[in-house]
Amino acid sequence: MSDAGGVDGHVARRRFGQNFLSDPNTIARIVSAIRPQADEIMVEIGPGLGALTAPLIGGLGHLHVVEIDRDLIARLHERFDAAQLTVHEGDALKFDFAALAGALGANLRVVGNLPYNISTPLLFHLAGVADHLRDMIFMLQKEVVARMAAAPGTAEYGRLSVMLQYRFRIGRLFDVPPGAFRPAPKVTSSIVRLLPLPPEARRAKDEAVFGRVVAAAFGQRRKTLRNTLRAFLDEDDFAALMLDPGLRGERLAVADYVAIANYCCGSRQR
Ligand code: SAM
């Protein structure tokens, strides 16, 4: 099950989520949405066969990439020299973006046509280093982008929406059909932009507590807050927060979750 068809002499690996962009108009549209400018510090996740890499280097002069597939890494070294490209070999889920930003002394722009099989954990990983990012522009499965940007009360709204909207302004840009890739994926894709909010806009006193409250609220989607947040709030606490314990987690805005987390930090040791 690891192979899904040959592209330019490379056998696409499903386990690495390899669907390579092949439509020149789509590639040009994505690069123009990214707008690479000379001397910006940019990291591309999953450069693959270089469909975005080459035009990005054209705009920037130099690009960092994180790639896991050794065959593709060898091809990248053949095609680009060290003055143009720094290849970080390995798993983007484990890559220390904060350390790279620290070493280079600049916040990073992070872009990529992401491997869809790891997109959610990768977004959580990147959310943890929001203070070291200038912006991010990604191609993802359309349904994932809908979840990222979802409003409270909708079916798509969940833990991913709350955790990302707490840290980023999220903008959906445009859709990309399966025919723009080789091999073609089964799903439609979307381009999304994430702009970090200023640190002062993030009002949780303890972001770990905030994360735990949000995870609990969405852990069992069909249950009410009275049940899902039992470990954090009793009936009096709900009353003090002026929240209806009969609601489900999907009804609460990001600010409500911040208020709950701060109430837990401020009023009680839990
Ligand atoms: N950017 C290329 C394009 O648009 O044609 C390739 C995109 S392809 C959807 C995903 C890329 O991410 C592949 O090159 C794949 O090898 C790489 N990849 C998959 N899992 C990865 C991981 N955990 N860390 C870094 N790169 C990964």
Side-chain angles (χ1 to χ4, degrees):
M1 286 295 286
S2 66
D3 302 336
V7 185
D8 292 344
H10 172 79
V11 178
R13 296 190 165 101
R14 276 193 201 147
R15 71 177 183 283
F16 290 149
Q18 291 179 351
N19 298 96
F20 299 102
L21 272 167
S22 58
D23 174 46
N25 291 330
T26 303
I27 293 167
R29 207 170 164 205
I30 295 170
V31 173
S32 114
I34 295 171
R35 289 189 75 236
Q37 306 289 307
D39 300 328
E40 288 176 336
I41 308 291
M42 190 177 291
V43 183
E44 183 190 4
I45 297 175
L49 292 163
L52 298 172
T53 316
L56 290 175
I57 289 173
L60 296 160
H62 176 270
L63 175 69
H64 291 262
V65 296
V66 184
E67 174 59 63
I68 201 168
D69 184 324
R70 290 201 180 138
D71 293 344
L72 294 175
I73 290 166
R75 292 171 70 126
L76 290 164
H77 283 305
E78 275 168 28
R79 183 166 168 195
F80 303 101
D81 64 40
Q84 299 173 299
L85 190 70
T86 302
V87 181
H88 302 272
E89 305 186 13
D91 185 348
L93 286 172
K94 298 188 182 135
F95 187 74
D96 192 340
F97 292 90
L100 180 65
L104 297 173
N107 284 355
L108 309 175
R109 303 194 70 198
V110 183
V111 303
N113 168 15
L114 296 187
Y116 294 171
N117 49 341
I118 59 160
S119 53
T120 303
L122 195 49
L123 289 167
F124 278 109
H125 180 54
L126 288 159
V129 295
D131 290 340
H132 302 279
L133 304 175
R134 214 183 98 191
D135 65 354
M136 303 195 283
I137 297 177
F138 293 135
M139 174 135 62
L140 289 158
Q141 206 173 317
K142 185 175 180 180
E143 286 72 20
V144 174
V145 173
R147 283 168 48 213
M148 293 163 69
T154 62
E156 293 83 11
Y157 186 70
R159 182 175 167 229
L160 186 70
S161 329
V162 176
M163 295 308 288
L164 291 182
Q165 291 172 27
Y166 173 72
R167 291 191 167 83
F168 301 100
R169 189 148 60 83
I170 297 173
R172 300 164 73 160
L173 300 186
F174 54 90
D175 291 346
V176 178
F181 304 82
R182 290 167 63 203
K186 292 195 173 66
V187 295
T188 298
S189 304
S190 295
I191 305 292
V192 62
R193 184 195 308 275
L194 296 95
L195 286 174
L197 296 169
E200 60 273 18
R202 301 196 332 236
R203 299 187 178 275
K205 289 180 195 159
D206 182 333
E207 293 186 343
V209 173
F210 169 74
R212 285 204 292 278
V213 167
V214 175
F218 289 101
Q220 297 162 289
R221 262 193 98 89
R222 300 189 62 77
K223 295 208 169 170
T224 63
L225 297 170
R226 179 180 287 113
N227 288 303
T228 57
L229 297 185
R230 195 180 290 281
F232 297 93
L233 304 176
D234 61 24
E235 293 289 325
D236 290 343
D237 297 328
F238 277 107
L241 281 159
M242 290 189 288
L243 280 177
D244 176 358
L247 294 177
R248 292 189 181 135
E250 71 218 34
R251 308 297 310 185
L252 300 195
V254 175
D256 295 322
Y257 283 108
V258 172
I260 293 171
N262 287 351
Y263 179 86
C264 290
C265 292
S267 69
R268 298 219 184 137
Q269 291 300 314
R270 292 177 191 259

